[in-house]
């Protein structure tokens, strides 16, 4: 087994790299607006089809932490980690039905803009600064770090070269604006799914060969019979992984807060649908929900396969770190290094596609918030459309310069991904409380929103520090959300003006009506989820 690419792998990867770049340039030239404007650059207004929106949502979401981290979790805890993917499918349906109509009706471009319209500029500015700091110093650096680490482990190239190469490729895609990102993401998704399926096929075939089966279907059946403890979705108290996935919280608790905030109130994600009409946006989000059902097949199953093979004498050295301890996160790179020349290049291209799409999507959101919610609103209110777009492009470059300076420092952390997830989630309960009450309760006041925004991080930190025994982060998320909602409700009710709040949204029930085809497909997705949780309870 080798952690280096062969000539054929480089050729396959080169075809992918050149193909995506040329396609992106062609899209940029073909769909370039006659006059540069912010709607076109940041939202690709009206030009993204439903399948482009759906593919872009998934491409932006899937990155190295899925291929590497989720496969590692599959090795360690099994199919249960799929809850993050499968519950996201249900969440996307709710976002399509209830959140997107509100954004589109109010002509929202950015999440801070919504907060400014619903509350005031103070709330919007506080959250815009929080989001920018989170996106640049945590999210962008984490994607770049984990991506470069994954590419290094597979290709054998130095970490620094991997980091710079991913950044340059992502910058090229990002500077073309949301149209280029959206349409190149279609290619990225096709490549990452094809490459992921190749690795899954190899893993299942190897399991089948070891136990005398015949083909990948036998391999899938043999996985469950040889690792039954890895095919349960719900962990109850006392299980060694209860802290990571605390029982019913994945179905009825903090997982919903986490997912609804990510998919419904996150500039990085929602931006893909904000430039489309309602029917197109909903269709794209539903397409993303279907794709979410498939992600565990290419990200979790390979990890379980490596676990079964390891239990039967394979990969005894490949999974060990320098201290001689088995590292689950080495499961996916170990499988990829078994691929023959050519196919390894395809899998490598899939991993790169996932990383670059996430980097590009994240940076476009950074540029959007900085340009529209900081630069135009606070620094240059009279800035022209062209100036704002140029500022957005400079923000992209600035964000990557900062990320490239910080990313190498993450190598000093023992568990960078867990650290990043932990501290990223401190903003989730407060942010979702602002959006949830802002959308669906007219009496919520600006004063209540400012207090909740200010208390969001302190409340989350308090739940981390106060308990004498560790509290699962999904429980902390749920409790922090309920406390912040309670505070907002109390503050709003104490304000006599809240009963006739002029900032409250008037929601027409007709906004939330869906077509028959949307309803049928949504029921189908929910039925598949119910079946999966019933079979693998």
């Amino acid at each position: 087994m080798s952690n280096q690419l062969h000539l054929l792998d480089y050729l396959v990867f080169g075809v992918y790299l050149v193909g995506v770049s040329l396609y992106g340039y062609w899209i940029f030239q073909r769909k370039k607006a006659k006059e540069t404007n912010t709607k076109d650059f940041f939202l690709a207004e009206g030009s993204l089809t439903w399948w482009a929106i759906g593919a872009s949502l998934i491409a932006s979401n899937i990155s190295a932490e899925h291929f590497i981290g989720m496969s590692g979790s599959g090795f360690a805890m099994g199919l249960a980690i799929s809850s993050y993917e499968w519950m996201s499918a249900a969440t996307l349906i709710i976002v399509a039905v209830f959140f997107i109509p509100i954004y589109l009706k109010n002509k929202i471009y950015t999440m801070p803009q919504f907060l400014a319209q619903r509350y005031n500029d103070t709330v919007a500015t506080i959250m815009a600064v929080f989001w920018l700091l989170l996106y640049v110093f945590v999210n962008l650096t984490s994607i770049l770090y984990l991506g470069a680490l994954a590419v290094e482990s597979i290709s054998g190239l130095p970490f620094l070269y991997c980091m710079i190469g991913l950044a340059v490729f992502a910058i090229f895609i990002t500077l073309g604006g949301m149209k280029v990102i959206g349409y190149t993401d279609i290619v990225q998704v096709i490549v990452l799914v094809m490459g992921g399926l190749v690795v899954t096929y190899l893993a299942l075939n190897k399991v089948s060969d070891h136990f005398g089966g015949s083909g990948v279907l036998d391999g899938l059946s043999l996985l469950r019979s040889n690792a039954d403890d890895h095919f349960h979705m719900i962990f109850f108290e006392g299980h060694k992984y209860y802290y990571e996935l605390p029982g019913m919280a994945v179905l009825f608790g903090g997982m919903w807060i986490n997912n609804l905030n990510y998919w419904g109130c996150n500039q990085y994600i929602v931006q893909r649908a904000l430039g489309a009409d309602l029917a197109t946006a909903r269709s794209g989000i539903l397409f993303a929900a279907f794709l979410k059902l498939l992600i565990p097949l290419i990200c979790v199953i390979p990890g379980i396969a490596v676990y079964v093979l390891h239990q039967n004498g394979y990969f005894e050295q490949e999974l060990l770190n320098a201290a001689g301890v088995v590292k689950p996160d080495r499961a996916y790179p170990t499988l990829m290094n078994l691929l023959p020349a050519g196919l390894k290049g395809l899998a490598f291209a899939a991993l790169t596609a996932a990383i670059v799409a996430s980097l590009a999507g994240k940076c476009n959101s950074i540029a959007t918030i900085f340009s529209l919610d900081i630069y135009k609103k606070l620094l240059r209110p009279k800035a022209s459309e062209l100036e704002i777009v140029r500022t957005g492009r400079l923000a992209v470059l600035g964000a990557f310069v900062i990320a490239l300076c910080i990313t190498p420092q993450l190598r000093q952390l023992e568990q960078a991904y867990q650290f990043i997830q932990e501290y990223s989630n401190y903003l989730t309960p407060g942010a979702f409380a602002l959006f949830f009450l802002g959308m669906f309760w007219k009496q919520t006041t600006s004063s209540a929103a400012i207090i909740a925004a200010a208390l969001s991080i302190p409340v989350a930190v308090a739940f981390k520090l106060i308990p004498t025994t560790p509290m699962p982060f999904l429980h902390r998320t749920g409790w922090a959300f309920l406390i912040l909602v309670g505070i907002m409700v109390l503050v709003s009710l104490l304000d006599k003006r809240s009963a006739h709040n002029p900032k409250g949204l008037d929601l027409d029930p007709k906004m939330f009506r869906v077509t028959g085809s949307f309803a049928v497909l949504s029921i189908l997705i929910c039925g598949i989820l119910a079946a999966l949780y019933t079979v693998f309870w």
Side-chain angles (χ1 to χ4, degrees):
M1 185 173 70
S2 171
N3 66 336
Q4 292 187 347
L5 300 176
H6 298 284
L7 177 60
L8 186 56
D9 297 319
Y10 282 114
L11 289 174
V12 171
F13 181 75
V15 169
Y16 152 74
L17 187 68
V18 172
V20 170
S21 300
L22 290 176
Y23 180 60
Y25 182 75
W26 179 73
I27 288 292
F28 177 74
Q29 292 295 330
R30 181 170 176 262
K31 294 182 176 289
K32 184 167 58 175
K34 293 181 180 179
E35 294 183 8
T36 303
N37 63 82
T38 52
K39 293 180 184 178
D40 184 69
F41 183 78
F42 295 118
L43 300 181
E45 189 168 36
S47 67
L48 293 184
T49 59
W50 64 266
W51 38 271
I53 291 172
S56 190
L57 283 169
I58 296 302
S60 299
N61 170 242
I62 303 299
S63 191
E65 66 263 31
H66 282 78
F67 282 102
I68 307 301
M70 194 162 275
S71 287
S73 295
F75 179 98
M77 67 177 70
L79 196 63
I81 195 65
S82 301
S83 282
Y84 280 99
E85 303 305 302
W86 288 342
M87 292 305 293
S88 289
T91 303
L92 282 163
I93 294 172
I94 293 175
V95 169
V97 175
F98 296 106
F99 287 52
I100 293 300
I102 294 174
Y103 291 141
L104 295 183
K105 180 185 177 183
N106 291 278
K107 295 179 169 53
I108 298 300
Y109 300 163
T110 72
M111 297 300 97
Q113 180 199 352
F114 172 82
L115 296 177
Q117 288 185 15
R118 177 58 182 85
Y119 298 116
N120 57 35
D121 286 341
T122 302
V123 176
T125 301
I126 290 172
M127 294 306 295
V129 171
F130 277 161
W131 274 315
L132 281 177
L133 292 174
L134 182 69
Y135 286 173
V136 175
F137 288 94
V138 178
N139 297 142
L140 192 64
T141 54
S142 69
I143 295 170
L144 195 55
Y145 166 69
L146 291 169
L149 201 63
V151 172
E152 178 193 39
S153 67
I154 293 161
S155 67
L157 296 172
F159 178 86
L160 181 63
Y161 294 169
C162 297
M163 182 180 70
I164 294 174
L166 289 171
V168 170
F169 191 11
I171 288 171
F172 178 82
I173 297 296
T174 309
L175 293 181
M178 182 52 74
K179 282 197 300 288
V180 174
I181 293 172
Y183 280 101
T184 54
D185 277 351
I186 299 168
V187 181
Q188 310 278 42
V189 164
I190 292 171
V191 173
L192 76 86
V193 169
M194 286 176 58
L197 288 175
V198 165
V199 176
T200 301
Y201 177 87
L202 169 77
L204 293 176
N205 212 41
K206 197 163 187 66
V207 169
S208 179
D209 289 345
H210 176 77
F211 290 100
S214 57
V216 293
L217 292 180
D218 278 355
L220 195 58
S221 175
L222 287 164
L223 274 192
R224 189 171 187 186
S225 61
N226 284 276
D228 182 65
D229 60 327
H230 276 52
F231 282 87
H232 296 284
M233 296 299 298
I234 304 298
F235 297 152
F236 293 101
E237 198 162 358
H239 193 282
K240 63 179 179 178
Y241 290 113
Y242 176 79
Y243 184 83
E244 284 80 9
L245 292 169
M248 302 302 287
V250 301
L251 294 179
F252 305 110
M255 181 74 83
W256 281 103
I257 309 302
N258 195 58
N259 281 350
L260 284 169
N261 180 71
Y262 180 85
W263 292 104
C265 313
N266 182 355
Q267 181 73 29
Y268 172 51
I269 294 297
V270 179
Q271 189 167 341
R272 273 110 187 103
L274 295 182
D277 60 75
L278 181 58
T280 303
R282 279 179 165 168
S283 298
I285 293 171
L286 201 62
F287 179 45
F290 269 110
L291 292 176
K292 267 293 175 185
L293 297 177
L294 302 176
I295 299 302
L297 181 63
I298 62 176
C299 291
V300 180
I301 294 299
I304 301 176
V306 173
Y307 170 79
V308 170
L309 292 168
H310 181 258
Q311 294 298 104
N312 286 271
Y314 288 84
F315 313 131
E316 292 184 354
Q317 298 300 317
E318 291 83 355
L319 298 174
L320 300 179
N321 64 5
V325 177
V326 172
K327 297 291 288 183
D329 283 354
R330 296 195 175 195
Y332 202 84
T334 296
L335 274 178
M336 284 186 64
N337 286 327
L338 289 176
L339 288 168
L343 288 181
K344 185 177 180 181
L346 177 61
F348 182 62
L351 182 62
T352 305
I355 298 163
V356 169
S358 292
L359 288 172
K362 184 65 70 179
C363 244
N364 188 265
S365 296
I366 291 168
T368 305
I369 291 177
F370 180 80
S371 302
L372 299 179
D373 297 300
I374 302 294
Y375 184 78
K376 180 175 173 57
K377 183 179 289 186
L378 302 178
L379 303 177
R380 292 270 294 174
K382 295 182 179 180
S384 66
E385 294 280 290
L386 179 59
E387 184 180 347
I388 295 170
V389 171
R390 284 176 177 170
T391 301
R393 289 191 168 117
L394 289 174
V396 169
L397 296 175
F400 269 111
V401 168
I402 294 171
L404 287 169
C405 292
I406 295 175
T407 297
Q409 310 308 314
L410 297 184
R411 302 200 80 174
Q412 300 175 22
L413 297 173
E414 186 176 342
Q415 296 186 50
Y417 180 66
Q418 287 80 354
F419 172 84
I420 292 158
Q421 288 295 97
E422 180 91 10
Y423 290 96
S424 295
N425 203 257
Y426 284 166
L427 196 60
T428 295
F432 186 60
L434 293 177
F435 279 86
F436 179 70
L437 288 181
M439 287 181 178
F440 302 111
W441 192 44
K442 289 183 65 174
Q443 290 184 240
T444 313
T445 64
S446 301
S447 299
I450 292 173
I451 292 172
L455 290 178
S456 178
I457 294 177
V459 169
V461 171
F463 271 104
K464 172 72 173 175
L465 300 178
I466 291 174
T468 54
T469 56
M471 179 184 290
F473 98 90
L474 286 178
H475 286 345
R476 294 203 310 268
T477 299
W479 281 114
F481 170 74
L482 291 175
I483 289 172
L484 291 169
V485 165
I487 291 171
M488 290 180 70
V489 169
L490 181 61
V491 172
S492 297
L493 291 177
L494 290 174
D495 188 340
K496 294 180 180 179
R497 294 170 297 179
S498 68
H500 305 285
N501 187 0
K503 292 269 190 173
L505 299 181
D506 292 315
L507 302 181
D508 183 351
K510 293 180 181 178
M511 294 168 53
F512 308 119
R513 289 180 181 173
V514 298
T515 63
S517 58
F518 182 93
V520 170
L521 292 173
S522 298
I523 292 170
L524 176 61
I525 290 174
C526 292
I528 292 172
L529 289 173
L532 288 169
Y533 275 92
T534 300
V535 172
F536 299 115
W537 185 265

